[in-house]
Amino acid sequence: MAVEGPCNDRCVVCPVPEPRRVAPAQPAAVAASLARAVAQGADSVVFAGGEPTLLPRFVEHVRAARQAGLAVGVVTNGRMFAYARLARAAARAGLGSATVAVHGPDAATHQAVSRSEGFDQALEGARHLAACGVEVTLRLTLLAASLDRLADLPALLDRTGAARLALELPDAVEEGVEVARRDAAEVAVAALVDRFARSRLSGRLDVAALPPCWTGGASGGVALRPGAVFAAPCADCSLRSRCPGLPAAMVDALGDAAVAPFRVVRSNSFNLVPRQRLDWPAGTPCPLLVGAPAPRSSADRAIHLRSDGALVRHETTTGDFVDAELRRVLRDSGQLYVDVSDKDAPDDFAADLRKLVVATECDECPRQRRCGRAWQVDQRDVFGADDALVAQRIATLSGDVLDVGCGHGPYGELLAPLASGGALRYVGLEPDEARVRELRARWPWATLIAATAEEARFAEASFDHVLILRSYNHLAAPRAVLAAVTRALRPGGTLLVVDNEAFGLVRTREAAARAEAGSAEHEHYRNDGAAEALEAMRGLPLTLLARADVGPATSNQWLLHLRKHDGDAAAPSLLRGESVV
C-alpha cells in the first residue's frame, strides 16, 4: 500500500516526482485503505512511500493492520528506525518484515544516490529491526557506480543481521545519472551470485527482481513488476515467462541493449504427485476448514484433488518452472489435467488427459488463496472443441499454403482432398528429416522441405496462407520467423498460429518417476500464449481476424488468425478491434 507523504532522502532513483515534501496521508485515509484491503481478501499489507515511518501514528497503523489479520511489512530508508524505541514499538505492534534501501557498501556511494548522510542511520535502523525479530531485507538499486563495489555488499549482512540482500533496477533515473549497462551488470551480478552460493551466505542473495539476462540466468520467479516493459528482443527469449520485465526507464536509457534473450529448450508441463490424503465424505465440510493440519508447502506448488470421498494433496518439485510460472498455471489459466495414459509424455491430449476444474465448494472459501484449492475431474472434451476451431479454418484454405513445422501431419485428412482436388498447393516445412521422409511416403501431393523455419527462405508474396500449428513455441526466433512469413504472404493472405500453454499433470508417483526418467526430450523454447505471440507481431502489416485465449474453461490451446493488409493501407494495431472466439 503506497502512502503519500514526505521523505527525508532525495534519491536520484526515486519514481516520485518533485516536490517530495508533500503533506502525509492522514490516519483516516490509511485506515480506509486497510479496510478496503481486508474486504478484498488481502492477507498482507506493505507500507511504502514516501517514507512511511514519517506518517503520523505509523505504529498505530501497523497495529491496526495486524489486528485485522494482515501480515505487515514496510519499505523504508531505515533512518527513523535508528531510534531503537521506534523499532521496538513497530515490532511489538506486529511489523513482520522490512525492506531497507541501501545504495552501496559505503557512505560515499550511498550518499551519491540518496543525497543524504543517512547511510549509518539506515544500517543502524536495519540492525535494530533485525534485533527485534523483524525479517530485514537490504535492497540495492543497481547503477553504473555500484557495479564495481558489489563484492563488498555481503559485509552489510553481518553488520546489520539482515536476512538477505536484494538487487533491483531503478524505476526512474534523474538526468545525468549513469545507469548500469546490462553486459557489465551480468558479469558483476553473476560473480556475486557465485560468491554467495559458495559461502555460508548461500540462499541470502535475492536477484529475482532482475531479468535473467542481467544475472547469467540465475534470476526469475517473481511476478511481472508493476509498469514493467519488455524490449523488442525479449520476444525471442525462452525465459520471458519467468522474467519480471524491466522498468521503462531502463529501456529508455539502453534500448534493445537492455536485454539479451536466452534461447534454451524447456519443458511445457510439470508433474503433481500425491503427498497427503484426507477423508472428505459427501455432504461434510472441507477437512481443511475443520481442524486438518495446515498445508506445509506453498500453495503455488500444490493443489488438492477431490475424488472418491477424499481430498488428496498433490505437490510439484519441478525445477523447470519457477513459482511465478506455476501461479499462472494453477491460478490464472487453470490448465491442470489428470494423465490417464501410460506414456512418458502425452501426445494425444484428448485421449490421454482429463481436465480438472475447481470444486464448487471453493468458490466462497476464504482459504482458497492459501491451500491450492480443491479440484475435480471434468469429463467434457475441451481439446476437441478447441481443435474444431482450427479444423474449420483449414477446411476453407485454397491457393498456395505454407505449413511451418508440419511434424507428423496431424491435419492430413483435411489437407489431402483439398490438394488432390487442385484447390491448394501445399509446402510443408519440418526440421526433422525422418519425419519428412515418412510424410513424403504418405503425402505424394505435398512439397516437403527439411529445414528449420529460421533457415528457410521464401520469395516475397509467394503464399496465400501460412500455418504455424503447434510449432510456434518450438521456434528459436519467433519474431524473425513471423516477419519472414508475413513478407512471404500475398496481400489479403492469412496467417494462422496455434499453440499450447504450459500445463500441470496429476500423476502417480510411479508414473511421474517413469516419465522423468524417460526419453522424452524438451522441444519448446517457450510456453507463450496468444498475448505474447501478438506482442511478437507488433509492427507487422497484419489485421487480427480472430483470437481464442486459454482460460479455466478451455483446453491449453490458443489461436490467432490474421490477414495481411494491402501494401497501401496503414497497419492497424493488433491489440484493438480483435474478435474473441
Side-chain angles (χ1 to χ4, degrees):
M1 181 174 73
V3 290
E4 293 184 357
C7 185
N8 44 358
D9 282 349
R10 295 179 57 250
C11 298
V12 299
V13 293
C14 182
V16 180
E18 294 282 8
R20 293 188 179 91
R21 298 289 182 182
V22 297
Q26 294 304 303
V30 176
S33 295
L34 288 173
R36 283 195 300 271
V38 172
Q40 292 168 2
D43 54 16
S44 62
V45 62
V46 177
F47 290 96
E51 173 49 47
T53 58
L54 299 180
L55 282 173
R57 305 212 297 256
F58 168 72
V59 172
E60 293 181 26
H61 300 319
V62 172
R63 182 178 297 109
R66 191 70 195 98
Q67 289 174 345
L70 300 172
V72 187
V74 64
V75 177
T76 175
N77 60 28
R79 295 177 64 182
M80 292 298 292
F81 289 118
Y83 298 98
R85 184 171 61 181
L86 177 63
R88 289 194 296 267
R92 285 196 299 267
L95 183 66
S97 63
T99 299
V100 179
V102 294
H103 301 292
D106 57 69
T109 308
H110 180 90
Q111 182 173 342
V113 177
S114 67
R115 293 190 294 207
S116 76
E117 298 180 357
F119 179 70
D120 291 334
Q121 289 179 324
L123 296 189
E124 188 72 355
R127 188 177 68 82
H128 285 156
L129 289 168
C132 293
V134 176
E135 185 178 84
V136 176
T137 298
L138 301 180
R139 185 186 66 190
L140 179 130
T141 302
L142 285 180
L143 293 171
S146 60
L147 291 184
D148 292 340
R149 302 295 308 278
L150 290 188
D152 297 328
L153 290 173
L156 298 184
L157 294 180
D158 288 333
R159 182 171 171 182
T160 61
R164 66 185 59 84
L165 170 69
L167 304 181
E168 69 169 16
L169 295 175
D171 287 313
V173 180
E174 291 191 4
E175 187 175 351
V177 177
E178 185 180 0
V179 300
R181 290 177 49 207
R182 189 212 60 80
D183 51 357
E186 181 180 10
V187 174
V189 173
L192 186 63
V193 169
D194 184 67
R195 177 173 178 176
F196 268 79
R198 294 173 180 271
S199 73
R200 59 183 175 78
L201 300 175
S202 179
R204 296 175 64 183
L205 177 64
D206 181 359
V207 293
L210 299 179
C213 59
W214 283 67
T215 68
S219 58
V222 300
L224 187 69
R225 59 186 293 163
V229 298
F230 291 96
C234 295
D236 291 344
C237 184
S238 304
L239 302 184
R240 175 167 171 166
S241 61
R242 63 173 62 182
C243 180
L246 295 102
M250 297 301 297
V251 177
D252 290 343
L254 299 175
D256 288 355
V259 297
F262 278 83
R263 291 176 181 169
V264 294
V265 290
R266 302 197 55 199
S267 173
N268 67 332
S269 66
F270 55 88
N271 295 323
L272 292 142
V273 299
R275 297 294 185 193
Q276 179 186 22
R277 185 184 188 279
L278 300 170
D279 290 332
W280 191 358
T284 64
C286 172
L288 296 177
L289 295 177
V290 290
R296 294 186 296 273
S297 65
S298 167
D300 292 332
R301 289 183 167 262
I303 65 167
H304 293 89
L305 180 60
R306 187 179 187 188
S307 178
D308 299 327
L311 187 67
V312 182
R313 184 173 179 83
H314 288 71
E315 299 176 4
T316 182
T317 57
T318 179
D320 293 330
F321 292 80
V322 296
D323 285 357
E325 294 173 310
L326 295 174
R327 279 194 294 275
R328 281 189 281 272
V329 175
L330 273 62
R331 299 274 173 196
D332 300 333
S333 68
Q335 291 305 311
L336 297 170
Y337 300 87
V338 174
D339 185 358
V340 297
S341 76
D342 58 358
K343 302 173 183 177
D344 290 350
D347 53 13
D348 182 347
F349 286 3
D352 298 342
L353 306 180
R354 297 292 181 269
K355 186 174 176 61
L356 297 180
V357 294
V358 177
T360 55
E361 290 89 343
C362 294
D363 289 344
E364 303 299 328
C365 178
R367 292 189 61 178
Q368 66 164 291
R369 289 165 55 91
R370 305 179 189 179
C371 78
R373 298 183 288 187
W375 299 73
Q376 57 195 26
V377 174
D378 183 352
Q379 297 295 345
R380 290 176 298 172
D381 178 13
V382 292
F383 294 103
D386 286 344
D387 206 39
L389 299 175
V390 183
Q392 290 168 6
R393 285 161 174 78
I394 292 177
T396 64
L397 296 178
S398 62
D400 295 296
V401 176
L402 171 64
D403 190 354
V404 178
C406 54
H408 292 293
Y411 295 101
E413 291 184 0
L414 293 172
L415 293 166
L418 295 173
S420 299
L424 63 77
R425 293 164 296 281
Y426 176 91
V427 176
L429 189 66
E430 169 58 42
D432 188 323
E433 293 187 3
R435 290 180 180 177
V436 169
R437 288 193 298 270
E438 184 263 338
L439 271 185
R440 281 176 178 153
R442 291 194 291 118
W443 290 5
W445 44 267
T447 299
L448 298 165
I449 302 171
T452 68
E454 290 79 8
E455 295 169 338
R457 298 291 182 271
F458 298 101
E460 186 172 347
S462 54
F463 292 99
D464 297 293
H465 307 281
V466 174
L467 309 175
I468 305 179
L469 306 180
R470 300 190 190 90
S471 56
Y472 177 83
N473 283 323
H474 293 239
L475 299 175
R479 267 191 326 123
V481 172
L482 289 167
V485 299
T486 300
R487 286 193 297 272
L489 273 174
R490 295 177 179 126
T494 69
L495 170 63
L496 180 62
V497 186
V498 175
D499 217 321
N500 302 91
E501 290 190 12
F503 58 101
L505 288 177
V506 171
R507 284 171 157 164
T508 65
R509 294 187 186 185
E510 295 75 20
R514 185 176 66 250
E516 290 168 3
S519 58
E521 296 181 0
H522 293 172
E523 298 178 341
H524 293 69
Y525 282 95
R526 63 197 57 77
N527 294 305
D528 283 356
E532 290 81 13
L534 273 177
E535 184 63 29
M537 300 176 194
R538 186 179 293 277
L540 296 178
L542 297 168
T543 300
L544 184 63
L545 301 177
R547 170 179 177 175
D549 285 284
V550 171
T554 75
S555 76
N556 69 330
Q557 180 171 286
W558 51 268
L559 175 150
L560 295 172
H561 198 197
L562 309 103
R563 175 179 289 124
K564 183 175 181 178
H565 64 66
D566 294 334
D568 295 334
S573 169
L574 290 173
L575 305 181
R576 296 183 196 149
E578 60 205 34
S579 52
V580 179
V581 179

